[in-house]
């Protein structure tokens, strides 16, 4: 507790809430969506200055060395304001991938630059839409004197719009490699595909890209472990973003129901709408409870299977709840909810893109069922 009686988590949540009120607001989101910029460097530097880009990064690289619980608090707060900057893609997915990679000079440089806001590395590992764990990799790394030549294409790269380089997964003689590829290196091309919420997915095409040996971040089982842990941690923190999105959307619905009058009464007095609002609130609280439980256990998950089960449980629950609550928010608002000027539509669009990223609810339920069945089979 501090002198004001707030614990560490509450203080962090208050800090994030205060930050988004002072400028990370919906008009800024709308303005960035029109430019397709997605990324405000001044805002990104503020996130760095506040220490939030380094929440998970080791202290040796300038980070705070905290856990997923703190990262979830930041992500939920930023999700409430629909902050477009790729916090989870960089400060969680990239940080965790680098943190679990080999301890090299390059790793330290990238982490230190990321924490300071100077470098924006993002992970480019997915090639197929239904591959939650990013294990189906056709990108190849062919050895040549001094390193590898890399060929392939990566899809669904969140953060590519502002990235200065990619952590690329590739196969070299059947062994996974994680490689650092600067954005402007010869043979690397980045294409952007617009998303519903004004942000974009990156498509990274690699044609005979020369990667020197010193740009190899991890190899073999170490690479698999680093990427697997990073993806599960990022899916969980994306779930925290979804929690922030659904909470704001539901609050907007309740506020609107108190002021919108029909037949001489506020629509919030209609019992059928009250029941619907309560049902959705229960879904929100279930998602919140599941996320808190997962976050509390995930840092100390005993093995890959336990970690994957936890992450899939959180993402599935939060993705489905966010979609249900934001879509219902449109209905609560009536005809005005379908207009471009109504802010509630922005929450629907963010819920759609976040729910799909790193595996949607159905994909994670499928993975959970498969992993659970394996556990049951081994026990038998």
């Amino acid at each position: 507790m501090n002198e004001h009686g707030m614990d560490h988590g509450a203080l962090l949540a208050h800090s994030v809430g205060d930050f988004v009120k002072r400028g990370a607001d919906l008009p800024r989101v709308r303005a960035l969506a029109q430019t397709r910029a997605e990324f405000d460097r001044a805002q990104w530097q503020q996130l760095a200055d506040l220490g939030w880009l380094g929440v998970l990064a080791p202290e040796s690289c300038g980070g705070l060395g905290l856990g997923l619980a703190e990262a979830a608090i930041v992500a939920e707060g930023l999700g409430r304001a629909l902050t477009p900057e790729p916090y989870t893609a960089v400060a969680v997915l990239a940080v965790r991938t680098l943190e679990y990679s080999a301890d090299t000079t390059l790793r330290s440089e990238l982490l230190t630059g990321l924490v300071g806001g100077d470098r924006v590395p993002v992970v480019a590992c997915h090639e197929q839409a239904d591959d939650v764990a990013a294990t189906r990799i056709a990108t190849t790394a062919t050895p040549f004197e001094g390193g590898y030549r890399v060929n392939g294409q990566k899809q669904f790269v969140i953060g590519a719009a502002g990235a200065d380089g990619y952590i690329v997964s590739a196969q070299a003689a059947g062994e996974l490699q994680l490689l650092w590829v600067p954005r402007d290196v010869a043979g690397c091309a980045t294409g952007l595909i617009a998303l519903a919420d004004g942000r974009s997915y990156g498509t990274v095409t690699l044609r005979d890209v020369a990667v020197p040996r010193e740009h190899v971040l991890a190899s073999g089982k170490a690479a698999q472990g680093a990427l697997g842990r990073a993806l599960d941690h990022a899916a969980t923190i994306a779930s925290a973003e979804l929690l922030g999105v659904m909470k704001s959307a539901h609050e907007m619905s309740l506020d609107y129901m108190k002021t919108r009058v029909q037949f001489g009464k506020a629509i919030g007095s209609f019992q059928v709408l009250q029941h619907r609002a309560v049902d959705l609130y229960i879904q929100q609280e279930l998602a919140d409870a599941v996320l808190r439980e997962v976050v509390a256990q995930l840092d100390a998950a005993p093995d890959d299977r336990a970690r994957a089960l936890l992450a899939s449980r959180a993402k599935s629950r939060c993705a489905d709840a966010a979609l249900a609550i934001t879509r219902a928010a449109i209905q609560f608002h009536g005809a005005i909810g379908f207009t471009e000027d109504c802010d509630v539509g922005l929450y629907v669009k963010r819920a759609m893109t976040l729910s799909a990223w790193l595996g949607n609810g159905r994909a994670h339920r499928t993975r959970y069922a498969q992993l659970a069945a394996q556990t049951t089979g081994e026990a038998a």
Side-chain angles (χ1 to χ4, degrees):
M1 292 284 186
N2 68 356
E3 60 182 351
H4 300 293
M6 299 174 71
D7 63 22
H8 177 72
L11 190 63
L12 182 57
H14 178 78
S15 177
V16 178
D18 183 61
F19 170 77
V20 298
K21 287 177 184 176
R22 289 186 287 106
D25 52 12
L26 295 185
R28 188 182 77 91
V29 173
R30 288 185 180 277
L32 278 176
Q34 294 301 315
T35 66
R36 298 292 180 194
E38 178 180 326
F39 203 104
D40 183 333
R41 284 286 178 175
Q43 196 82 350
W44 189 252
Q45 190 59 52
Q46 287 187 51
L47 296 179
D49 293 343
L50 288 164
W52 298 342
L53 299 184
V55 166
L56 295 178
E59 294 181 56
S60 60
C61 296
L64 300 178
L66 300 175
L68 291 172
E70 289 79 13
I73 290 171
V74 175
E76 181 182 333
L78 297 178
R80 276 181 167 270
L82 301 183
T83 301
E85 284 77 20
Y87 173 78
T88 301
V90 178
V92 182
L93 182 54
V95 163
R96 282 302 202 215
T97 303
L98 289 167
E99 180 185 353
Y100 298 136
S101 294
D103 187 7
T104 62
T105 300
L106 174 63
R107 167 189 176 272
S108 298
E109 289 176 354
L110 289 173
L111 277 171
T112 301
L114 186 161
V115 170
D118 305 316
R119 302 291 293 272
V120 185
V122 299
V123 177
C125 61
H126 286 96
E127 299 181 14
Q128 299 182 35
D130 60 346
D131 186 15
V132 172
T135 54
R136 298 201 290 275
I137 299 172
T139 300
T140 58
T142 306
F144 81 107
E145 186 176 351
Y148 293 100
R149 291 202 179 277
V150 182
N151 287 276
Q153 188 176 77
K154 299 297 183 179
Q155 307 279 354
F156 321 118
V157 184
I158 282 284
D164 55 27
Y166 305 105
I167 301 166
V168 173
S169 58
Q171 294 285 356
E175 188 173 71
L176 183 67
Q177 306 288 334
L178 293 179
L179 311 168
W180 171 247
V181 178
R183 184 191 187 107
D184 57 359
V185 72
C188 179
T190 301
L192 298 177
I193 300 173
L195 295 173
D197 65 354
R199 300 184 303 161
S200 60
Y201 274 150
T203 298
V204 181
T205 303
L206 306 158
R207 293 191 178 92
D208 282 332
V209 174
V211 177
R213 291 198 186 282
E214 54 268 27
H215 281 195
V216 177
L217 294 165
S219 301
K221 289 184 178 179
Q224 293 173 4
L227 187 59
R229 284 193 293 271
L231 285 169
D232 283 334
H233 288 186
T236 301
I237 302 306
S239 302
E241 277 195 74
L242 283 164
L243 185 64
V245 170
M246 72 178 87
K247 284 183 175 180
S248 282
H250 199 51
E251 288 167 6
M252 290 170 70
S253 296
L254 296 179
D255 289 342
Y256 185 77
M257 290 165 64
K258 292 173 185 176
T259 58
R260 177 72 171 97
V261 175
Q262 268 188 350
F263 309 114
K265 293 182 178 180
I267 62 173
S269 66
F270 301 157
Q271 196 171 64
V272 66
L273 294 183
Q274 291 176 0
H275 288 174
R276 179 70 173 136
V278 169
D279 287 344
L280 293 167
Y281 179 73
I282 290 171
Q283 292 303 311
Q284 174 185 298
E285 291 301 288
L286 285 171
D288 197 347
V290 167
L291 179 65
R292 302 305 164 204
E293 184 178 338
V294 167
V295 163
Q297 298 177 27
L298 196 57
D299 272 323
D303 53 45
D304 292 348
R305 181 180 296 161
R307 184 197 67 232
L309 284 167
L310 287 167
S312 285
R313 185 175 167 221
K315 187 70 191 307
S316 176
R317 172 68 72 172
C318 290
D320 288 359
L323 289 173
I325 289 169
T326 55
R327 287 170 178 168
I330 294 281
Q331 297 167 352
F332 282 131
H333 280 73
I336 194 175
F338 290 90
T339 65
E340 189 66 27
D341 292 336
C342 184
D343 286 338
V344 75
L346 298 176
Y347 286 87
V348 178
K349 293 173 182 178
R350 180 59 59 83
M352 289 169 59
T353 59
L354 265 179
S355 295
W357 184 49
L358 301 179
N360 60 21
R362 178 181 296 177
H364 278 284
R365 282 192 297 277
T366 299
R367 183 172 78 148
Y368 188 98
Q370 291 171 344
L371 290 169
Q374 291 174 17
T375 304
T376 303
E378 289 183 359

